Amino acid sequence: ARNQIVAKKTEVTGRKAASAASKVLKSTSSSKAAKSAAGSALSQTKAPKKVTSAKAASAASKTLRATSSSKSAKSSAGSALTQKPTKRK
């Protein structure tokens, strides 16, 4: 059986997470992965039909696992991951 990706998420990035994502994007010390996740989260602020791509989800996961990631980076990465499409078997 194939895995089917269902893109019926209606999540949007909240005000706090969007602010955190903005901080990450402005920061010169943020990693490439953190900026990718933040960009994905920020692009979904008022777009419930948009979902996080596999590449951005991977970057978000990397950001959450990294001990060096800032609180803002982890917040925006978490937001991006919640908006990832679910896989159905």
Side-chain angles (χ1 to χ4, degrees), residues 20-62:
S22 177
K23 270 185 194 173
V24 172
L25 289 172
K26 287 177 188 172
S27 171
T28 54
S29 60
S30 293
S31 68
K32 191 178 176 184
K35 287 191 178 198
S36 172
S40 176
L42 206 54
S43 75
Q44 296 169 36
T45 46
K46 290 183 181 176
K49 288 189 172 127
K50 276 194 171 184
V51 290
T52 303
S53 69
K55 209 173 192 180
S58 175
S61 177
K62 199 184 244 185

Side-chain angles (χ1 to χ4, degrees), residues 4-24:
Q4 187 180 7
I5 296 175
V6 180
K8 281 192 177 180
K9 287 272 186 173
T10 55
E11 299 274 340
V12 290
T13 303
R15 196 178 248 166
K16 277 186 180 179
S19 177
S22 177
K23 270 185 194 173
V24 172

